[in-house]
Each structure stands twice: as C-alpha cells, then as structure tokens.
Amino acid sequence: MIEVIARPKKRLFLALILASLFLATLSTYGLWMVSFPGLANISTFLPVVLGVLLGMVLLAIGIGVGGIILAILGFSTLSLFQGPAWSAINLLFPLAIQIGKIFDVEKERVERSFIEVSNYLIHQKHIKVSPDKLLILTPHCIQQELCQYKVTHDIANCRKCGACQVGDLLTISEKYGVHVTISTGGTLARKVIKTLRPHAVLAIACERDLTSGIQDVFPLPVIGVLNERPNGPCCNTRIDVKRVEEAVKDFIS
C-alpha cells in the first residue's frame, strides 16, 4: 500500500494546543472548586495557596503557548520563553491528540503539523553549525531489506548499488563532511547523540518517531524530514534526497 502524505498545516497543531490549554484551564478550575470546601475546613489560607500555585502553572503554560504563536506569526520572542514553550508542548501534546480524535483528526496528521511547527521555529533561528557538528540520523528501514551488507554499525559498508538511498546519504556525508548514522531505534539514536554531541540534527523518520525524538532531545535543534513509505511502514522507506541536502546546506552554510 502506498502512503500519500498530505502537506501538513501549522494551524492544525496550534488550534489543538489552544483547545488543550482551554480544556486544561477548565479542568484545573474544576479541581480547585472541588477542593475548596475541604481545604477551607482545614485552613482559610489553603484554598488561596492552592489557587495561586495552580494559577502559576497555568500562567507558565500559557506563556509557553503564547511564545509559540508569536514566533509563528513572525514576532521576535526571548530565548527564555523557549523552555516554557516546549514544556507546554510536552504537557499538552497528549491532550491535543485526544481532542483531535474527537474531531476525527488522525494522530499522524497532528504529528505532521507539530513537525511543521517545530521545523519552522528552527528555521526562524537561522542556526549555523560546523559540518562536523551536524548529524544526519535515519532509521534502518531506509536500507533495502534484502541487502546483505549491514550498515547499522558502519554506514561505510554500503556499496552504493542504488537499490536503496543509503548510498545517497553517504554521498551527502562525504560531500559536506557531516555525520550520518543509521539507527535501529530510539535508544540507539539517543546513544549516538550522546556520543557525537552534535550541535544540530537532521532527523529522518516517520511521524511518531520524529515527534518523540524532537521532544526528547530539546533544546538540541532538530529539523525533521518525514520518510516516504511506498511499501508501507518500516519497509524499504524512501526520502527526498534533495530536501535532505538543502537542509544540510541551510545548517552549515
């Protein structure tokens, strides 16, 4: 089965995050109201203390979401807002997925929108790194499944036969002097990042792995490139090589 990936829209993710923030605010207020009588019986100050604490948490999340929206709209935001922004995303993202399901929006579509937002924010920073500090990270499903040469431990084992696009990535690595690694999973990917200590990552994967990976390695800047799946998930996947090369040039030029 051939998967056709629709062009993601940033506004979908932003709308769901705003809806999540609204729902979280209502739920927090409801929690405070339910707790009020019991806390007031103990001390008249306790409802106030709890209300202030909950209000501060909601304010921090609101500042984070507001920072994302302002950045998307083209306004300059202070770097100190980046932490609350990504904390807000990590906290509200599962709720955004559930709200999306209510409106029959599939999870992968929300994740694609998140990746589009994340890529846009990274581009807006105009980050430049030296080639040896850039890592291209791709899953092993990009390799032709019947290939006898295993490249997960050493991509240099690739014979560049053209049966898959591992050779294209190796060529980009050699041409620009950037690292390229093929990972068999999230644990190994994190180990590679910990070992190489790149200043930026160009990650190639499906929606789920890109979304979790981008969130896991924050504040490390990551540009996510969705793979193509002409044979279904996790089997002989493909990539837009030109897009990968352009992303590499954007980081190092």
Side-chain angles (χ1 to χ4, degrees), residues 32-63:
W32 182 74
M33 287 295 292
V34 170
S35 305
F36 192 100
L39 293 174
N41 285 334
I42 300 173
S43 170
T44 55
F45 295 105
L46 283 180
V48 177
V49 171
L50 179 62
V52 169
L53 290 175
L54 292 176
M56 291 175 65
V57 172
L58 286 174
L59 179 62
I61 296 174
I63 290 174

Side-chain angles (χ1 to χ4, degrees), residues 166-219:
V166 174
D168 295 323
L169 292 179
L170 188 57
T171 298
I172 291 175
S173 171
E174 295 166 347
K175 181 178 180 181
Y176 296 99
V178 302
H179 296 284
V180 59
T181 297
I182 296 179
S183 171
T184 54
T187 301
L188 182 58
R190 283 186 284 273
K191 181 181 178 182
V192 169
I193 290 174
K194 187 176 181 180
T195 301
L196 294 178
R197 296 183 178 279
H199 291 177
V201 174
L202 198 164
I204 302 164
C206 62
E207 292 88 346
R208 182 194 62 185
D209 290 347
L210 277 182
T211 300
S212 60
I214 290 171
Q215 294 174 354
D216 284 349
V217 302
F218 176 82

Side-chain angles (χ1 to χ4, degrees), residues 67-209:
I68 295 172
I69 294 174
L70 288 175
I72 291 294
L73 293 176
F75 292 95
S76 297
T77 56
L78 298 176
S79 58
L80 63 88
F81 288 121
Q82 294 177 3
W86 282 96
S87 296
I89 288 176
N90 287 333
L91 192 63
L92 296 177
F93 193 78
L95 187 55
I97 293 291
Q98 295 305 315
I99 293 175
K101 286 183 179 178
I102 294 174
F103 293 96
D104 201 25
V105 179
E106 61 179 7
K107 181 180 177 182
E108 288 76 14
R109 190 177 161 202
V110 180
E111 291 171 334
R112 286 197 293 273
S113 181
F114 162 75
I115 294 165
E116 186 75 2
V117 168
S118 176
N119 286 350
Y120 181 84
L121 295 177
I122 295 297
H123 280 303
Q124 290 298 96
K125 294 179 182 177
H126 304 293
I127 296 171
K128 301 297 179 186
V129 301
S130 59
D132 64 320
K133 293 299 181 182
L134 177 61
L135 170 65
I136 301 175
L137 192 58
T138 185
H140 69 287
C141 58
I142 192 174
Q143 185 182 25
Q144 218 286 334
E145 64 174 341
L146 299 179
C147 181
Q148 60 178 311
Y149 300 103
K150 298 304 178 186
V151 295
T152 50
H153 293 292
D154 186 0
I155 194 172
N157 289 331
C158 175
R159 298 301 190 269
K160 296 185 179 181
C161 67
C164 67
Q165 293 176 298
V166 174
D168 295 323
L169 292 179
L170 188 57
T171 298
I172 291 175
S173 171
E174 295 166 347
K175 181 178 180 181
Y176 296 99
V178 302
H179 296 284
V180 59
T181 297
I182 296 179
S183 171
T184 54
T187 301
L188 182 58
R190 283 186 284 273
K191 181 181 178 182
V192 169
I193 290 174
K194 187 176 181 180
T195 301
L196 294 178
R197 296 183 178 279
H199 291 177
V201 174
L202 198 164
I204 302 164
C206 62
E207 292 88 346
R208 182 194 62 185
D209 290 347

